[in-house]
Every structure is written in structure tokens, then in C-alpha cells.
């Protein structure tokens, strides 16, 4: 088993739990032990595309971490929480509610290369400790600004179905997990991204589609958009719709994973190793060239453009390679 399983991660499940679910499925199906890893952390309170690498595909998981991502996110205005999502306690409030026109006018300020402050509740390390551990211990967390790129940031098209959450139900400063259910559907104007109509009234929330570079924190983006609008806000719904080349169209539910494992037919859901590299060209090899790369040797005089390529012997993956001035060097070799 070498390739990718793309999970539609449900609410409340962590990325490592997604890996564990695939490991269990492999055992259930009698596939034996295999290396399994994920291609990009997705918070428990987020849903959507979680690429799971199996076998030799785990050698490409790091490359997946560097890929662009796309999300649908709902920002609720009027409350900011310490975690910048509905799990945290409220630390600031505002009566200001922006209009849709005001929101659309400010979005260009957050499109393109920007700098953002990561959330205190993040997995980044400060003096060797996770920021979220320090924040939970009540310590002040100061993180450095980071440069990221927001390729696009737009409200969904009015004809697209929206998945807007109900108002968070808070108890002792915490939001009930079910308040983030992605199964709800807005109706009327709310389905188009507004909470109070599309006229001049202020909106309680807005749903945006964001295409971002690696390292972008959507919770920070939501915080900064709200502040630019003269109010405060936090994320109440987050769904990853794309991770690198993988989309929701390829994603399977945990129920589907379990059902297929019991039927011992997981290989029918497995995407090939090359599916994680569909953004780079293939480099066909002769048997002698393939043998040389497998031995770690450099190929010279190869007629190929500079950059990374996917070296193939027929239909068999040999290596992820770097081409420069006609020289081909192995970046990651595959034992297939």
C-alpha cells in the first residue's frame, strides 16, 4: 500500500487521530503494517480535506505541508476569544456590525503578500515550548510576525450552498462543540454570507473563501479583518476545501473508510503516489537511468527544464528529483 487516502475530517477529530483511523483501517483490512502520516495539520474544530500518506507516499508528506490550502471560513462579529475560535473564552466585545459593502471593501487589504501575528493558541514553539501550552498556563505569549500570501479572499458566490453555524452556545466561556456543526444551511440572505440581510444593515457574520500559502493562520486572518472593520470577531466555522492538489471531491468520510476496510478493498480508495505530485512534470527514464538514480548517482546531459520533476520508469515511480542545467539529482527516492 503506497499512496494517498484523502479524509473528509469530521469535527472534533485531530490530525493525528485521522492517522490512527487509517492505521486501524489497514489492520482491519489485513493490509499489515505501513508507515502512515498526514500532509498538513487540521485543527479539531475544523473539517475537510486531510491528506493521509501511506507507505512511500510519506516521503512526500513534507512537500504537502508546503503547499497552498483553501478554506471556507465563517467570521462572527462582536466577540473575540482568546483562541480566536468558538472554543475559547470571550476577551473582547463590540457592538459594531459591518455591512457587506464594508467587508468587501476591506478584503483587498488582506489579499496578496501580508504579515500576520499567529494565534497565541498555536503549535509554534517559544523557547522550546508549544505556544498553546504557555497560553493555557496563563503566560503571555508573544509571537513574531510572519509573511504569508493570501492568493484570494472572497465571499462565496450567492448561488453556492453555504454552511453557516448557529450562534455559539457558551458555557463558562466555552462554546459547545456541536455549535460548530458544518451541516447547517443558511437560508435567504444568510446563505449568501450575511446575518441580517443584504441591505445597509450590519452583519453578524460573513462566510469567506480563502486560498492561502503555507503558514497562513485563518484565525489570525479573521481577527485582523474584524479589527480593520472597527469591531472584533472570531472563527465559528472552518472547512478546508483543498490541500495542495487534493480537494473535497476526492475525500472520504470515516464511515466510508471503515466500511471499505471491512470489505478489504481499501486499494480502490487509494490514490497513487503520483497524485501528490500532479503539479510537477514527469521525467521518463530508461532502465539504466532509473538504476543510476536508485544508486544515488547524478544523471548528466538530460534534456529537461530546471526544477523538480517526478522520475518514472514506465508507470513505476523512481524518485522526486531536482533538475538543474541538465543534471538530475534525487530529492526523495522511492523503494518500489
Amino acid at each position: 500500500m503506497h499512496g494517498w487516502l484523502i479524509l473528509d475530517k469530521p469535527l472534533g477529530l485531530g490530525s493525528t487521530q485521522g492517522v490512527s483511523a487509517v492505521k486501524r483501517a489497514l489492520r482491519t483490512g489485513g493490509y499489515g503494517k505501513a508507515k502512515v502520516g498526514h500532509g498538513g495539520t487540521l485543527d479539531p474544530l475544523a473539517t475537510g480535506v486531510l491528506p493521509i500518506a501511506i507507505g512511500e507516499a510519506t516521503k512526500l508528506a513534507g512537500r504537502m505541508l508546503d503547499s497552498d490550502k483553501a478554506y471556507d471560513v465563517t467570521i462572527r462579529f462582536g466577540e473575540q476569544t482568546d483562541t480566536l475560535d468558538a472554543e475559547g473564552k470571550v476577551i473582547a466585545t463590540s457592538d459594531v456590525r459591518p455591512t457587506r459593502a464594508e467587508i468587501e471593501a476591506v478584503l483587498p487589504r488582506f489579499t496578496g503578500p501580508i504579515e500576520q501575528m499567529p494565534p497565541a493558541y498555536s503549535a509554534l514553539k517559544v523557547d522550546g515550548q508549544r505556544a498553546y501550552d504557555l497560553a493555557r498556563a496563563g503566560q503571555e505569549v508573544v509571537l513574531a510576525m510572519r509573511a504569508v500570501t493570501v492568493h484570494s479572499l472572497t465571499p462565496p458566490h450567492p448561488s453556492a450552498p453555504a454552511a453557516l453555524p448557529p450562534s455559539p452556545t457558551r458555557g463558562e466561556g466555552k462554546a459547545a462543540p456541536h455549535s460548530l456543526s458544518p451541516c447547517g444551511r443558511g437560508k435567504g440572505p444568510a446563505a449568501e454570507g450575511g446575518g441580517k440581510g443584504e441591505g445597509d444593515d450590519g452583519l453578524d457574520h460573513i462566510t469567506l473563501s480563502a486560498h492561502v500559502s503555507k503558514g497562513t493562520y485563518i484565525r489570525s486572518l479573521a481577527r485582523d479583518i474584524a479589527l480593520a472593520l472597527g469591531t472584533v470577531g472570531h472563527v465559528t466555522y472552518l472547512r478546508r476545501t483543498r490541500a495542495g492538489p487534493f480537494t473535497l471531491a476526492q475525500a472520504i468520510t470515516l464511515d466510508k473508510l471503515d466500511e471499505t476496510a471491512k470489505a478489504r478493498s481499501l486499494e480502490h480508495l487509494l490514490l497513487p503516489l503520483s497524485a501528490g505530485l500532479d503539479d510537477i512534470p514527469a521525467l521518463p527514464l530508461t532502465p539504466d537511468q532509473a538504476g543510476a538514480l536508485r544508486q544515488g548517482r547524478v544523471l548528466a546531459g538530460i534534456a529537461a527544464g530546471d526544477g523538480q520533476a517526478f522520475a518514472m520508469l514506465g508507470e513505476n515511480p523512481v524518485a522526486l528529483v531536482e533538475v538543474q542545467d541538465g543534471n538530475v539529482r534525487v530529492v526523495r527516492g522511492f523503494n518500489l
Side-chain angles (χ1 to χ4, degrees):
M1 295 286 281
H2 303 283
W4 301 89
L5 284 174
I6 313 304
L7 295 185
D8 185 348
K9 190 190 80 62
L11 195 70
L13 190 79
S15 297
T16 55
Q17 291 172 299
V19 169
S20 297
V22 171
K23 288 182 176 179
R24 285 194 301 272
L26 291 173
R27 290 196 298 269
T28 298
Y31 294 93
K33 289 186 177 181
K35 290 183 179 179
V36 182
H38 64 76
T41 300
L42 196 56
D43 290 344
L45 292 182
T47 68
V49 176
L50 179 63
I52 304 292
I54 300 175
E56 289 296 284
T58 56
K59 295 179 178 179
L60 300 174
R63 189 176 186 275
M64 197 60 57
L65 298 177
D66 291 337
S67 64
D68 288 352
K69 311 291 191 301
Y71 299 87
D72 286 343
V73 54
T74 297
I75 307 169
R76 185 171 294 280
F77 300 113
E79 293 181 338
Q80 181 173 319
T81 66
D82 55 0
T83 60
L84 303 183
D85 60 25
E87 186 181 37
K89 62 182 180 182
V90 176
I91 59 172
T93 61
S94 172
D95 293 330
V96 175
R97 297 295 183 272
T99 65
R100 185 181 179 94
E102 289 170 338
I103 296 168
E104 292 182 346
V106 84
L107 293 184
R109 291 168 52 182
F110 297 93
T111 305
I114 65 170
E115 288 197 340
Q116 63 173 200
M117 174 81 71
Y121 285 80
S122 67
L124 296 176
K125 287 190 174 182
V126 179
D127 296 329
Q129 292 184 276
R130 297 291 185 186
Y132 54 66
D133 289 331
L134 297 174
R136 287 167 183 160
Q139 297 186 36
E140 183 180 2
V141 178
V142 179
L143 297 171
M145 297 289 284
R146 59 166 51 190
V148 298
T149 300
V150 178
H151 300 292
S152 64
L153 184 62
T154 58
H157 190 276
S159 64
L164 301 179
S167 298
T169 302
R170 297 189 181 277
E172 299 181 352
K174 295 291 182 181
H178 65 267
S179 70
L180 294 178
S181 170
C183 299
R185 291 290 185 269
K187 295 182 179 180
E192 298 178 9
K196 290 185 178 180
E198 295 299 318
D200 293 329
D201 293 336
L203 305 182
D204 289 324
H205 58 256
I206 187 76
T207 297
L208 302 173
S209 293
H211 174 202
V212 300
S213 70
K214 70 171 184 176
T216 304
Y217 281 92
I218 301 298
R219 287 175 291 152
S220 293
L221 192 61
R223 173 201 61 204
D224 296 342
I225 289 171
L227 291 174
L229 289 164
T231 183
V232 292
H234 66 279
V235 170
T236 58
Y237 170 89
L238 184 62
R239 183 159 176 77
R240 189 155 70 190
T241 58
R242 175 183 289 274
F246 301 120
T247 70
L248 285 170
Q250 299 154 307
I252 59 170
T253 64
L254 290 184
D255 286 344
K256 179 68 173 179
L257 176 69
D258 184 60
E259 172 190 319
T260 309
K262 290 176 179 176
R264 298 178 179 268
S265 56
L266 280 177
E267 61 272 16
H268 298 308
L269 297 178
L270 193 70
L271 299 178
L273 189 145
S274 59
L277 296 170
D278 71 348
D279 59 333
I280 65 173
L283 177 65
L285 302 174
T286 66
D288 287 346
Q289 290 171 334
L293 286 182
R294 286 171 175 147
Q295 293 172 8
R297 291 155 55 191
V298 176
L299 300 182
I302 303 299
D306 287 355
Q308 290 193 335
F310 190 34
M312 302 280 292
L313 177 60
E315 296 297 320
N316 297 319
V318 174
L320 173 66
V321 298
E322 185 76 29
V323 183
Q324 186 173 13
D325 298 328
N327 297 315
V328 178
R329 292 177 172 81
V330 173
V331 176
R332 289 284 186 273
F334 305 120
N335 298 318
L336 298 173

